[in-house]
Amino acid sequence: MKGIISNLHKVFESRIRLGIMSVLVVNDWVDFNTLKQFLDTTDGNLASHLKALEAKQLVEMKKQFVGRKPKTSYQASEAGRNLFAQHIEALESLISKK
Amino acid sequence: MKSNSNSNDDIKAIKSMMERSSRFLSLSGLSGISAGIIALIGAAIAHHLLESVKTDDPGLLYFLRPFPFGEIIMPLVILAFSVLVLALASAIFFSWRKARKQNLSLWVPATKRLLTHLFIPLIAGGFFVLILIDQNAEILVASATLIFYGLALINAGKFTFGEVHYLGVSEIVLGIAAGIFVNYGLLFWAIGFGVLHIVYGFVMYFRYER
């Protein structure tokens, strides 16, 4: 039981972060506005969660210019994918425990 | 500690988000219905064009053999092209409307994957049909278009509603039948591109959009 709990990572505790990771593991680069649409959240909220995930190197960010507009895209890093997979596994084994 | 129901909700949220973001879910049932109706109208016009040059009376929605190219080939090509453009435009229109209702943009990451997977078999099929015509095997055109279209749908089905897969299987079965009963090419076309799309559209509309 202890092993399972330690695999539940604090960094994924918020719904928005779970959402971000869910989108990023099944897609390649996803830009900020698309993420915002999927998660139905505000710019500030999404940006702060992305920043937190980026600080832990779970997501990677790139900036491009489309015409004159900057476009920021994100993808899940290798470490992020692994950690998120562990997290899902832990969630699933918690459910099946009962 | 996280409670059990909480974990369950998390898993559900993760699954639905993966689903929502990796599939093109703006495809509307109305797209299928409108494309089907346009195809049926096109088949009816093609039938009349063929009627106008027939020599004997081979029945409804046939392909003439030998194919009466020459005088009606251009009208037929223009007709086929208009049907394609109109059907595509209506499909895009209804998808755009559905996307707006869902507050999603039409261009999500899955859109690109859907289109790539749809158009690779479709373009291959297009070239193959040109080869068939060049080799004077136009009686197999109906069969080939249906089979390649079915393959394209099965390929693209992974990136949108699962039902598209079954539409694809039906088109392939129909395409094989069209290859056996080569004299009824137009009839099989009308069923494959008209009736099947309409049936599919109704199923999807009542399942997901009501």
Coordinates of all heavy atoms in Angstrom, one line a residue, chain A residues 29-97:
Chain A
W29 N 3.1 18.3 -30.1 CA 3.0 19.7 -29.7 C 1.6 20.3 -29.7 O 0.9 20.1 -30.7 CB 3.9 20.6 -30.5 CG 5.4 20.3 -30.4 CD1 6.1 19.5 -31.2 CD2 6.2 20.7 -29.3 NE1 7.4 19.4 -30.7 CE2 7.5 20.2 -29.6 CE3 6.0 21.6 -28.2 CZ2 8.6 20.4 -28.7 CZ3 7.1 21.8 -27.4 CH2 8.4 21.2 -27.6
V30 N 1.2 20.9 -28.6 CA -0.2 21.5 -28.5 C 0.0 22.9 -28.1 O 0.8 23.2 -27.1 CB -1.0 20.8 -27.5 CG1 -2.4 21.4 -27.4 CG2 -1.2 19.3 -27.8
D31 N -0.6 23.9 -28.8 CA -0.4 25.3 -28.5 C -1.3 25.7 -27.3 O -2.2 25.1 -27.0 CB -0.5 26.2 -29.7 CG -1.9 26.2 -30.2 OD1 -2.7 26.9 -29.6 OD2 -2.2 25.5 -31.1
F32 N -0.9 26.8 -26.7 CA -1.5 27.3 -25.5 C -3.0 27.5 -25.7 O -3.8 27.1 -24.8 CB -0.8 28.7 -25.1 CG -1.3 29.2 -23.8 CD1 -0.6 28.8 -22.6 CD2 -2.4 30.0 -23.7 CE1 -1.0 29.3 -21.4 CE2 -2.8 30.5 -22.5 CZ -2.1 30.2 -21.3
N33 N -3.4 28.1 -26.8 CA -4.8 28.4 -26.9 C -5.7 27.1 -27.1 O -6.8 27.0 -26.6 CB -5.1 29.3 -28.2 CG -4.7 30.7 -27.8 OD1 -4.8 31.1 -26.7 ND2 -4.2 31.4 -28.8
T34 N -5.1 26.1 -27.8 CA -5.8 24.8 -27.9 C -6.0 24.2 -26.5 O -7.1 23.7 -26.2 CB -5.1 23.9 -28.8 OG1 -4.8 24.6 -30.1 CG2 -5.9 22.6 -29.1
L35 N -4.9 24.2 -25.7 CA -5.0 23.7 -24.4 C -6.0 24.4 -23.6 O -6.8 23.8 -22.9 CB -3.6 23.9 -23.7 CG -2.6 22.7 -23.7 CD1 -1.4 23.2 -23.0 CD2 -3.2 21.5 -23.1
K36 N -6.1 25.7 -23.7 CA -7.0 26.5 -23.0 C -8.5 26.1 -23.4 O -9.3 26.0 -22.5 CB -6.8 28.0 -23.3 CG -7.4 28.9 -22.2 CD -7.0 30.4 -22.5 CE -8.0 31.0 -23.5 NZ -7.7 32.4 -23.8
Q37 N -8.7 25.9 -24.7 CA -10.0 25.4 -25.1 C -10.4 24.1 -24.5 O -11.5 23.9 -24.0 CB -10.0 25.2 -26.6 CG -10.3 26.5 -27.4 CD -10.4 26.2 -28.9 OE1 -10.1 25.0 -29.3 NE2 -10.7 27.2 -29.6
F38 N -9.5 23.2 -24.5 CA -9.8 21.8 -24.0 C -10.1 21.9 -22.5 O -11.0 21.2 -22.0 CB -8.6 20.9 -24.2 CG -8.5 20.3 -25.6 CD1 -7.3 20.2 -26.3 CD2 -9.7 19.9 -26.3 CE1 -7.2 19.7 -27.6 CE2 -9.6 19.4 -27.6 CZ -8.4 19.3 -28.2
L39 N -9.3 22.7 -21.8 CA -9.4 22.6 -20.3 C -10.4 23.7 -19.8 O -10.8 23.6 -18.6 CB -8.0 22.9 -19.7 CG -7.0 21.9 -20.1 CD1 -5.6 22.3 -19.6 CD2 -7.3 20.5 -19.4
D40 N -10.8 24.6 -20.7 CA -11.9 25.5 -20.3 C -11.5 26.3 -19.1 O -12.1 26.3 -18.1 CB -13.2 24.8 -20.1 CG -14.4 25.7 -20.2 OD1 -14.2 26.8 -20.7 OD2 -15.5 25.3 -19.7
T41 N -10.3 27.0 -19.2 CA -9.8 27.7 -18.1 C -9.3 29.1 -18.5 O -9.4 29.4 -19.7 CB -8.7 26.9 -17.4 OG1 -8.2 27.6 -16.3 CG2 -7.5 26.6 -18.3
T42 N -8.8 29.8 -17.6 CA -8.3 31.2 -17.9 C -6.8 31.2 -18.3 O -6.1 30.2 -17.9 CB -8.5 32.1 -16.7 OG1 -7.7 31.6 -15.6 CG2 -9.9 32.3 -16.3
D43 N -6.4 32.2 -19.0 CA -5.0 32.3 -19.3 C -4.0 32.2 -18.1 O -3.1 31.4 -18.1 CB -4.7 33.7 -20.0 CG -5.1 33.7 -21.4 OD1 -5.8 32.8 -21.8 OD2 -4.8 34.7 -22.1
G44 N -4.4 33.0 -17.1 CA -3.5 33.0 -15.9 C -3.3 31.7 -15.2 O -2.2 31.3 -14.9
N45 N -4.5 31.1 -15.0 CA -4.5 29.8 -14.3 C -3.7 28.8 -15.1 O -2.9 28.1 -14.6 CB -6.0 29.4 -14.2 CG -6.2 28.2 -13.3 OD1 -5.3 27.9 -12.5 ND2 -7.3 27.6 -13.3
L46 N -4.0 28.7 -16.4 CA -3.3 27.7 -17.2 C -1.8 27.9 -17.2 O -1.0 27.0 -17.1 CB -3.9 27.7 -18.7 CG -3.2 26.7 -19.6 CD1 -3.4 25.3 -19.2 CD2 -3.9 26.9 -21.0
A47 N -1.5 29.2 -17.4 CA 0.0 29.6 -17.5 C 0.7 29.2 -16.2 O 1.8 28.7 -16.3 CB 0.1 31.1 -17.7
S48 N 0.1 29.4 -15.1 CA 0.8 29.1 -13.8 C 1.0 27.6 -13.6 O 2.0 27.2 -13.2 CB 0.1 29.7 -12.6 OG -1.1 29.0 -12.3
H49 N 0.0 26.8 -14.0 CA 0.1 25.4 -13.9 C 1.2 24.9 -14.9 O 2.0 24.0 -14.6 CB -1.2 24.7 -14.2 CG -2.1 24.7 -13.0 ND1 -1.8 24.2 -11.8 CD2 -3.4 25.3 -12.8 CE1 -2.8 24.4 -10.9 NE2 -3.7 25.1 -11.5
L50 N 1.2 25.4 -16.1 CA 2.2 25.0 -17.1 C 3.6 25.4 -16.6 O 4.5 24.6 -16.8 CB 1.9 25.7 -18.4 CG 0.8 25.1 -19.3 CD1 0.4 26.0 -20.4 CD2 1.3 23.7 -19.8
K51 N 3.7 26.5 -16.0 CA 5.0 27.0 -15.5 C 5.5 26.0 -14.4 O 6.7 25.6 -14.4 CB 4.9 28.4 -14.9 CG 6.2 29.1 -14.9 CD 6.0 30.6 -14.6 CE 5.8 31.4 -15.9 NZ 5.5 32.8 -15.7
A52 N 4.6 25.5 -13.5 CA 4.9 24.6 -12.5 C 5.4 23.3 -13.1 O 6.4 22.7 -12.7 CB 3.8 24.4 -11.5
L53 N 4.7 22.8 -14.1 CA 5.1 21.5 -14.7 C 6.4 21.7 -15.5 O 7.2 20.8 -15.5 CB 4.0 21.1 -15.7 CG 2.7 20.6 -15.1 CD1 1.6 20.4 -16.1 CD2 2.9 19.3 -14.3
E54 N 6.6 22.8 -16.0 CA 7.8 23.1 -16.8 C 9.0 23.1 -15.8 O 10.1 22.6 -16.1 CB 7.7 24.4 -17.5 CG 8.4 24.5 -18.8 CD 8.5 25.9 -19.3 OE1 7.5 26.7 -19.2 OE2 9.6 26.2 -19.9
A55 N 8.8 23.8 -14.7 CA 9.9 23.9 -13.7 C 10.3 22.5 -13.2 O 11.5 22.3 -13.0 CB 9.4 24.7 -12.5
K56 N 9.4 21.6 -13.2 CA 9.8 20.2 -12.8 C 10.2 19.4 -14.0 O 10.4 18.1 -13.9 CB 8.6 19.5 -12.1 CG 8.3 20.1 -10.8 CD 7.8 19.0 -9.8 CE 7.2 19.5 -8.5 NZ 8.1 20.2 -7.6
Q57 N 10.3 20.0 -15.2 CA 10.7 19.4 -16.4 C 9.9 18.2 -16.9 O 10.3 17.3 -17.4 CB 12.2 18.9 -16.3 CG 13.1 20.1 -16.0 CD 14.6 19.7 -16.0 OE1 14.9 18.6 -15.8 NE2 15.4 20.7 -16.3
L58 N 8.6 18.4 -16.6 CA 7.6 17.4 -17.0 C 7.0 17.7 -18.4 O 6.5 16.9 -19.1 CB 6.5 17.2 -16.0 CG 7.0 16.8 -14.6 CD1 5.9 16.8 -13.6 CD2 7.7 15.5 -14.6
V59 N 7.0 19.0 -18.7 CA 6.6 19.4 -20.0 C 7.7 20.3 -20.6 O 8.5 20.9 -19.9 CB 5.3 20.2 -20.0 CG1 4.2 19.4 -19.4 CG2 5.4 21.6 -19.4
E60 N 7.8 20.3 -21.9 CA 8.7 21.2 -22.7 C 7.9 22.3 -23.4 O 6.8 22.0 -23.9 CB 9.5 20.3 -23.6 CG 10.5 19.4 -22.9 CD 10.9 18.2 -23.8 OE1 10.6 18.2 -25.0 OE2 11.6 17.3 -23.3
M61 N 8.6 23.4 -23.5 CA 7.9 24.5 -24.1 C 8.7 25.0 -25.3 O 9.9 25.0 -25.3 CB 7.8 25.7 -23.1 CG 6.9 26.8 -23.5 SD 7.8 28.3 -23.8 CE 8.5 28.7 -22.2
K62 N 8.0 25.5 -26.4 CA 8.7 26.2 -27.5 C 7.9 27.3 -27.9 O 6.7 27.3 -27.9 CB 9.1 25.2 -28.6 CG 7.9 24.8 -29.5 CD 8.3 24.0 -30.7 CE 7.1 23.6 -31.5 NZ 7.3 22.7 -32.5
K63 N 8.6 28.4 -28.3 CA 8.0 29.6 -28.9 C 8.3 29.8 -30.3 O 9.4 29.6 -30.7 CB 8.5 30.8 -28.1 CG 7.8 30.9 -26.8 CD 7.9 32.3 -26.2 CE 7.1 32.4 -24.9 NZ 7.4 33.5 -24.0
Q64 N 7.2 30.0 -31.1 CA 7.4 30.3 -32.5 C 6.7 31.6 -32.9 O 5.8 32.0 -32.1 CB 6.8 29.2 -33.3 CG 7.4 27.8 -33.2 CD 6.4 26.8 -33.8 OE1 5.3 26.7 -33.2 NE2 6.7 26.2 -34.9
F65 N 7.0 32.1 -34.0 CA 6.2 33.2 -34.5 C 5.3 32.7 -35.7 O 5.9 32.2 -36.6 CB 7.0 34.4 -34.9 CG 7.4 35.2 -33.7 CD1 8.6 34.9 -32.9 CD2 6.6 36.3 -33.3 CE1 8.9 35.6 -31.8 CE2 7.0 37.0 -32.2 CZ 8.1 36.7 -31.4
V66 N 4.0 33.0 -35.6 CA 3.2 32.7 -36.7 C 2.8 34.1 -37.2 O 2.0 34.8 -36.6 CB 1.9 31.9 -36.3 CG1 1.0 31.7 -37.5 CG2 2.3 30.6 -35.7
G67 N 3.4 34.5 -38.4 CA 3.2 35.9 -38.8 C 3.9 36.7 -37.7 O 5.1 36.5 -37.4
R68 N 3.1 37.6 -37.1 CA 3.7 38.5 -36.1 C 3.4 38.0 -34.7 O 3.8 38.6 -33.7 CB 3.3 39.9 -36.3 CG 4.0 40.6 -37.4 CD 3.7 42.1 -37.3 NE 4.4 42.7 -38.4 CZ 4.1 44.0 -38.8 NH1 3.1 44.6 -38.2 NH2 4.8 44.5 -39.8
K69 N 2.5 37.0 -34.7 CA 2.0 36.6 -33.3 C 2.9 35.5 -32.8 O 3.2 34.5 -33.5 CB 0.6 36.0 -33.4 CG -0.5 37.1 -33.4 CD -1.9 36.4 -33.3 CE -3.0 37.5 -33.4 NZ -4.3 36.8 -33.6
P70 N 3.3 35.6 -31.5 CA 4.0 34.5 -30.9 C 3.1 33.4 -30.6 O 1.9 33.6 -30.2 CB 4.6 35.2 -29.6 CG 3.6 36.3 -29.3 CD 3.1 36.7 -30.6
K71 N 3.6 32.2 -30.8 CA 2.7 31.0 -30.5 C 3.6 30.1 -29.6 O 4.7 29.7 -29.9 CB 2.4 30.3 -31.7 CG 1.3 29.2 -31.5 CD 0.8 28.6 -32.8 CE 1.4 27.2 -33.0 NZ 0.9 26.5 -34.2
T72 N 3.0 29.8 -28.4 CA 3.7 28.9 -27.5 C 3.1 27.5 -27.5 O 1.9 27.4 -27.4 CB 3.6 29.5 -26.0 OG1 3.8 30.9 -26.1 CG2 4.6 28.9 -25.1
S73 N 3.9 26.5 -27.7 CA 3.4 25.2 -27.7 C 4.1 24.3 -26.7 O 5.2 24.6 -26.2 CB 3.7 24.5 -29.1 OG 3.2 25.3 -30.1
Y74 N 3.4 23.3 -26.3 CA 4.0 22.4 -25.2 C 3.9 21.0 -25.6 O 3.1 20.6 -26.4 CB 3.1 22.6 -23.9 CG 3.2 24.0 -23.4 CD1 2.3 25.0 -23.8 CD2 4.2 24.3 -22.4 CE1 2.4 26.3 -23.3 CE2 4.3 25.6 -21.9 CZ 3.4 26.6 -22.4 OH 3.5 27.8 -21.9
Q75 N 4.8 20.2 -25.1 CA 4.7 18.7 -25.2 C 5.2 18.1 -23.9 O 6.0 18.7 -23.2 CB 5.5 18.2 -26.4 CG 7.0 18.2 -26.2 CD 7.8 17.4 -27.3 OE1 7.2 16.9 -28.2 NE2 9.1 17.3 -27.2
A76 N 4.7 16.9 -23.7 CA 5.2 16.2 -22.5 C 6.6 15.7 -22.7 O 7.0 15.2 -23.7 CB 4.2 15.0 -22.2
S77 N 7.4 15.9 -21.6 CA 8.8 15.3 -21.7 C 8.8 13.8 -21.4 O 7.8 13.3 -20.9 CB 9.7 16.1 -20.7 OG 9.3 15.7 -19.4
E78 N 9.9 13.2 -21.7 CA 10.0 11.8 -21.4 C 9.7 11.5 -19.9 O 8.9 10.6 -19.6 CB 11.4 11.3 -21.8 CG 11.7 9.8 -21.8 CD 10.8 9.1 -22.8 OE1 10.6 9.6 -23.9 OE2 10.3 8.0 -22.5
A79 N 10.3 12.3 -19.1 CA 10.1 12.2 -17.6 C 8.7 12.4 -17.3 O 8.1 11.7 -16.4 CB 11.0 13.2 -16.9
G80 N 8.1 13.4 -17.9 CA 6.7 13.7 -17.6 C 5.8 12.5 -18.0 O 4.8 12.2 -17.2
R81 N 6.0 11.9 -19.1 CA 5.2 10.8 -19.6 C 5.3 9.6 -18.5 O 4.3 9.0 -18.2 CB 5.7 10.2 -20.9 CG 5.3 11.0 -22.1 CD 5.9 10.6 -23.4 NE 5.7 11.6 -24.4 CZ 4.6 11.8 -25.1 NH1 3.6 10.9 -24.9 NH2 4.5 12.7 -25.9
N82 N 6.6 9.4 -18.1 CA 6.8 8.3 -17.2 C 6.1 8.5 -15.9 O 5.4 7.6 -15.3 CB 8.3 8.1 -16.9 CG 9.0 7.5 -18.1 OD1 8.3 6.9 -19.0 ND2 10.3 7.8 -18.3
L83 N 6.3 9.7 -15.3 CA 5.7 10.1 -14.1 C 4.2 10.0 -14.1 O 3.5 9.6 -13.2 CB 6.2 11.5 -13.6 CG 6.3 11.7 -12.1 CD1 7.4 10.8 -11.5 CD2 6.6 13.2 -11.8
F84 N 3.6 10.5 -15.2 CA 2.2 10.5 -15.4 C 1.6 9.1 -15.5 O 0.6 8.8 -14.9 CB 1.8 11.3 -16.6 CG 0.3 11.6 -16.7 CD1 -0.4 12.3 -15.8 CD2 -0.4 11.2 -17.9 CE1 -1.7 12.6 -15.9 CE2 -1.8 11.4 -18.0 CZ -2.4 12.1 -17.0
A85 N 2.4 8.2 -16.2 CA 1.9 6.8 -16.3 C 1.9 6.2 -14.9 O 1.0 5.5 -14.6 CB 2.9 6.1 -17.2
Q86 N 2.9 6.5 -14.1 CA 3.0 6.0 -12.8 C 1.8 6.4 -12.0 O 1.2 5.7 -11.2 CB 4.2 6.5 -12.0 CG 5.5 5.6 -12.2 CD 6.6 6.2 -11.4 OE1 6.5 7.1 -10.6 NE2 7.8 5.7 -11.7
H87 N 1.5 7.7 -12.1 CA 0.4 8.3 -11.4 C -0.9 7.7 -11.7 O -1.7 7.3 -10.9 CB 0.3 9.8 -11.7 CG -0.7 10.6 -10.9 ND1 -0.5 11.0 -9.6 CD2 -1.9 11.0 -11.3 CE1 -1.5 11.6 -9.2 NE2 -2.4 11.7 -10.1
I88 N -1.2 7.4 -13.0 CA -2.4 6.7 -13.5 C -2.5 5.3 -12.9 O -3.5 4.9 -12.4 CB -2.5 6.7 -15.0 CG1 -2.6 8.1 -15.6 CG2 -3.6 5.8 -15.4 CD1 -2.7 8.1 -17.1
E89 N -1.3 4.7 -13.0 CA -1.3 3.3 -12.4 C -1.7 3.3 -10.9 O -2.4 2.4 -10.5 CB 0.1 2.7 -12.6 CG 0.2 1.4 -13.3 CD 1.6 1.1 -13.7 OE1 2.4 0.7 -12.8 OE2 2.0 1.2 -14.9
A90 N -1.1 4.2 -10.2 CA -1.4 4.3 -8.8 C -2.8 4.6 -8.5 O -3.5 4.0 -7.7 CB -0.5 5.4 -8.2
L91 N -3.4 5.5 -9.3 CA -4.8 5.8 -9.2 C -5.7 4.5 -9.4 O -6.6 4.2 -8.7 CB -5.3 6.9 -10.2 CG -4.9 8.3 -9.9 CD1 -5.3 9.2 -11.1 CD2 -5.5 8.8 -8.7
E92 N -5.3 3.8 -10.5 CA -6.1 2.6 -10.9 C -6.0 1.5 -9.8 O -7.0 0.9 -9.5 CB -5.6 2.1 -12.2 CG -6.3 2.8 -13.3 CD -5.8 2.4 -14.7 OE1 -4.7 1.9 -14.8 OE2 -6.5 2.7 -15.7
S93 N -4.8 1.4 -9.2 CA -4.7 0.3 -8.2 C -5.4 0.7 -6.9 O -5.9 -0.1 -6.2 CB -3.2 0.0 -7.9 OG -2.5 1.1 -7.6
L94 N -5.5 2.0 -6.7 CA -6.3 2.5 -5.5 C -7.7 2.1 -5.7 O -8.4 1.7 -4.8 CB -6.1 4.0 -5.4 CG -5.2 4.6 -4.4 CD1 -5.3 6.1 -4.3 CD2 -5.4 3.9 -3.0
I95 N -8.2 2.3 -6.9 CA -9.6 2.0 -7.2 C -9.9 0.5 -7.0 O -10.9 0.1 -6.4 CB -10.0 2.4 -8.6 CG1 -9.9 4.0 -8.7 CG2 -11.4 2.0 -8.9 CD1 -10.0 4.5 -10.1
S96 N -9.0 -0.3 -7.6 CA -9.3 -1.7 -7.6 C -9.0 -2.4 -6.2 O -9.4 -3.5 -5.9 CB -8.4 -2.4 -8.6 OG -7.0 -2.2 -8.3
K97 N -8.4 -1.6 -5.3 CA -8.2 -2.1 -3.9 C -9.5 -2.3 -3.2 O -9.5 -3.1 -2.2 CB -7.3 -1.1 -3.1 CG -5.8 -1.4 -3.3 CD -5.3 -2.4 -2.4 CE -4.2 -3.3 -2.9 NZ -3.2 -2.7 -3.8

